[in-house]
Amino acid sequence: MTLRITNTLTRQKQAFVPLVEGQVSMYVCGVTVYDHCHVGHARVYVVFDVIARALRHLGYAVRYVRNFTDVDDKIIARANKNGESCDDLTNRFIAAFYEDMDLLGCHRPDVEPRVTTHMVEIVAMVQAIVDRGHAYIVAGEFGGQDVYFAIDDFAPYGALSGRSQDDNQAGASDRVTRDERKRNQADFALWKSAKPGEPAWDSPWGAGRPGWHIECSAMSCKHLGPAFDLHGGGKDLIFPHHENELAQSKAAHDAEFARYWLHNGFVTIDSEKMSKSLGNFFTIRDVLARFHPAVLRYYLLTAHYTQPLNFSDKSLEEASRRVLYIAERLAQAQAVAAKWKGLPVAADGLESKAAADLTEALQDDFNTPKVLAVLAELVASIGQAIESKDDALKRSVLIGGLSHVQAIAQVLGLFEGDPAPLAHEIVESARERLFPADSAQLIWVQELVQQRIAARATKDFAKADELRGELLRGGVEVRDTREGSLWRPLLGEV
RNA sequence: GGCGGCAUAGCAAAGCGGUAAUGCAAGGGACUGCAACUCCCUGACCCCCGGUUCAAAUCCGGGUGCCGCCUCCA
């Protein structure tokens, strides 16, 4: 079996054949850095992080490029509003972006170009498009000149999004102000002349800045060449961003541009798209204040990347319980397996089946729910083995299973490290959040737990059970173990 | 108005022509003073109607419902 990928261009899942055997070049549209990222952004970058990891697992040498858009209307507006420079603003949010991505366990792409450092390439590409007759120049509003891409001169326009210009006109005409300078209202800016006070760069058309789409065309070309394998982003970029990128790039150099277009589905809330404009979004920081980063990452991988993913406390709570369960099982398995440390174990059927299942799941359009199912079966086998009285079986399943969990972990970017601290962090972060030190809630819990310990000591089980019931209603579960009566917060409503 | 996607057990989610992965929840059992944790067992014929096929959740046609894009948006 070979790798199959859903290609937006063909609307089909098709066999992946890279331009150069064994290598994959991949470009993913990065963020416009004027604000914190929300969960929708998190999904894109986690998904493509896993895709890059998966490709590497499958043996490809991957070159992953992801840009920062640091010149844009929204950036200028926000910087003006804040009374700071665009550079200060963008640098701040790039730093914040890295903090979020690091917490979520996303590897850095191989190249992370910024628009502001690629003006030479951008101007050159605009010039090439003009020279080849696919763009025209009009007078700008404040002097200088604007350059527009002429979609009527480019026959394949609409191929990616599957719509004709006529289709678009019907809906767009009532919402978009007419610009009489444009030949076709759907023509889009390649270069915009500077308005007073805006950041601007020199060009053959006077001082100005790039239009929205050209940066990705120029930067992908510079770092991956005029033709490359994978181009990714959220579904909302299909039109107009990617459609326009495709048109510009092909108009500039005739090369194939991206061969496979991958688009991830939206994160939704109550089935509606999470977006800035609707205001129904949570930033990554909002979520990480309540849930462990591994929980958010796990949750983001529970649905196939092309499908919508509905965001809710319930889903995150379920993911919490699951991640905790897996981490605890793995930690326990490691503790049990430690005594066999260094002893070799023959690969068993379980391990090789899991390896084959992992590969198959990844080759099936990076099917992370399937990978999670493989992991679940593996962890279940490990859980059974821990209980097993058969020492030989136990040893082979635990050691073999743990080593294969690592292979899966490296692809998912989950459970890569030591599982014991992860389990501890999940419980402790919930404890700190719900029962902070010196809080009335904490004192309440400690008081009841002490009373219960006392009740049990005198074998007053009726009283002990009553206290446990009370704690449970207060969101606390108590477990009587060899180490005594331990308590921890319930991870979400059950 | 145009274009596109989705509809699978209580919930979430795989499946891409050969009689439905996985997770959560729920029920039963083992364990436990009782519980919790853990382990074992239990669940759906796939929105509706037609069609193609020896065979369809999976393909085709028609409905219904939800969502997205066509304006900045991951």
Side-chain angles (χ1 to χ4, degrees):
Chain A
M1 187 174 162
T2 53
L3 174 60
R4 292 166 58 77
I5 298 178
T6 298
N7 188 354
T8 307
L9 201 53
T10 58
R11 287 169 211 303
Q12 283 179 329
K13 198 193 278 192
Q14 55 187 178
F16 174 68
V17 183
L19 279 168
V20 179
E21 195 179 340
Q23 298 181 20
V24 177
S25 44
M26 155 167 142
Y27 186 91
V28 174
C29 285
V31 279
T32 300
V33 277
Y34 71 101
D35 205 348
H36 288 298
C37 288
H38 59 60
V39 180
H41 299 106
R43 186 179 193 191
V44 184
Y45 304 117
V46 166
V47 159
F48 284 99
D49 180 56
V50 170
I51 287 176
R53 288 166 180 256
L55 289 166
R56 291 188 169 114
H57 177 86
L58 295 173
Y60 294 101
V62 178
R63 183 171 169 81
Y64 176 15
V65 179
R66 183 183 65 201
N67 69 289
F68 284 112
T69 295
D70 58 354
V71 183
D72 165 86
D73 290 345
K74 292 189 292 293
I75 291 171
I76 294 167
R78 182 66 62 96
N80 287 339
K81 185 179 155 214
N82 291 355
E84 65 183 326
S85 72
C86 287
D87 279 352
D88 287 348
L89 179 82
T90 55
N91 284 329
R92 217 151 44 76
F93 283 111
I94 285 172
F97 177 80
Y98 278 136
E99 284 173 20
D100 291 345
M101 290 303 118
D102 289 350
L103 283 168
L104 285 173
C106 294
H107 290 157
R108 299 279 167 98
D110 301 289
V111 188
E112 297 181 274
R114 294 169 65 155
V115 180
T116 48
T117 59
H118 288 72
M119 286 301 163
V120 173
E121 290 81 3
I122 290 171
V123 168
M125 184 169 272
V126 174
Q127 185 63 258
I129 299 169
V130 172
D131 290 345
R132 292 168 57 111
H134 291 295
Y136 55 94
I137 298 162
V138 302
E141 207 179 336
F142 295 89
Q145 295 172 311
D146 293 342
V147 183
Y148 282 100
F149 187 87
I151 63 170
D152 292 328
D153 291 334
F154 192 74
Y157 192 77
L160 181 67
S161 56
R163 58 187 104 203
S164 70
Q165 304 149 40
D166 297 340
D167 293 340
N168 283 334
Q169 296 283 326
S173 56
D174 60 335
R175 287 188 291 183
V176 178
T177 337
R178 281 194 68 81
D179 183 341
E180 298 303 336
R181 301 172 306 158
K182 289 191 197 177
R183 292 179 190 168
N184 183 315
Q185 289 307 303
D187 289 349
F188 53 92
L190 297 175
W191 188 261
K192 300 156 93 163
S193 57
K195 294 178 187 166
E198 284 185 353
W201 288 261
D202 287 334
S203 80
W205 315 283
R209 59 191 168 96
W212 174 30
H213 318 290
I214 194 71
E215 88 262 28
C216 287
S217 290
M219 292 189 289
S220 63
C221 186
K222 163 136 191 217
H223 297 287
L224 296 174
F228 55 96
D229 296 306
L230 267 39
H231 192 136
K235 266 190 160 68
D236 45 2
L237 295 183
I238 295 172
F239 191 91
H241 185 55
H242 287 163
E243 189 71 73
N244 292 353
E245 258 187 67
L246 176 60
Q248 290 164 344
S249 295
K250 295 189 90 154
H253 50 231
D254 274 342
E256 191 177 9
F257 198 48
R259 311 186 69 215
Y260 299 84
W261 291 81
L262 318 201
H263 291 100
N264 66 278
F266 300 130
V267 173
T268 60
I269 293 184
D270 296 331
S271 297
E272 289 199 319
K273 180 185 173 186
M274 177 184 288
S275 72
K276 289 263 166 100
S277 46
L278 287 173
N280 60 344
F281 64 92
F282 292 97
T283 65
I284 294 172
R285 279 142 200 254
D286 291 336
V287 178
L288 296 190
R290 301 180 52 218
F291 297 96
H292 192 282
V295 169
L296 178 54
R297 185 171 173 111
Y298 181 96
Y299 155 74
L300 290 171
L301 297 174
T302 54
H304 185 78
Y305 75 91
T306 56
Q307 297 303 119
L309 178 63
N310 204 44
F311 184 87
S312 68
D313 278 4
K314 193 181 161 198
S315 327
L316 273 283
E317 285 161 359
E318 182 179 328
S320 291
R321 286 193 288 272
R322 192 60 194 155
V323 171
L324 177 60
Y325 166 82
I326 293 172
E328 288 189 324
R329 279 289 67 84
L330 295 180
Q332 198 181 351
Q334 280 191 357
V336 173
K339 62 179 163 188
W340 301 303
K341 197 169 184 209
L343 294 177
V345 159
D348 65 354
L350 170 74
E351 189 184 357
S352 51
K353 180 183 184 305
D357 287 349
L358 172 64
T359 297
E360 190 185 312
L362 295 177
Q363 288 180 329
D364 181 16
D365 201 17
F366 312 109
N367 196 325
T368 56
K370 233 185 223 176
V371 175
L372 258 17
V374 176
L375 179 65
E377 286 169 350
L378 204 53
V379 174
S381 301
I382 288 171
Q384 289 158 17
I386 291 172
E387 303 285 317
S388 171
K389 298 280 187 289
D390 181 341
D391 226 44
L393 175 84
K394 194 173 195 169
R395 177 174 146 190
S396 98
V397 171
L398 288 190
I399 295 181
L402 283 172
S403 91
H404 195 68
V405 164
Q406 269 314 298
I408 295 178
Q410 279 163 25
V411 175
L412 293 178
L414 286 166
F415 310 109
E416 286 181 285
D418 193 347
L422 171 60
H424 187 257
E425 279 171 29
I426 291 172
V427 173
E428 291 313 311
S429 64
R431 196 195 299 273
E432 281 162 27
R433 191 178 71 247
L434 300 167
F435 303 95
D438 300 325
S439 67
Q441 296 95 306
L442 181 62
I443 292 166
W444 174 78
V445 173
Q446 287 171 336
E447 177 65 21
L448 293 203
V449 169
Q450 280 312 315
Q451 286 178 24
R452 184 166 174 280
I453 288 171
R456 288 186 76 228
T458 61
K459 299 246 190 289
D460 184 354
F461 294 122
K463 173 81 172 165
D465 290 349
E466 190 187 312
L467 287 164
R468 181 176 42 223
E470 200 175 328
L471 284 162
L472 202 56
R473 287 189 291 278
V476 174
E477 63 180 16
V478 189
R479 310 165 53 182
D480 300 321
T481 70
R482 289 74 40 194
E483 287 80 43
S485 290
L486 307 177
W487 69 272
R488 68 186 189 190
L490 244 36
L491 294 179
E493 288 306 312
V494 182

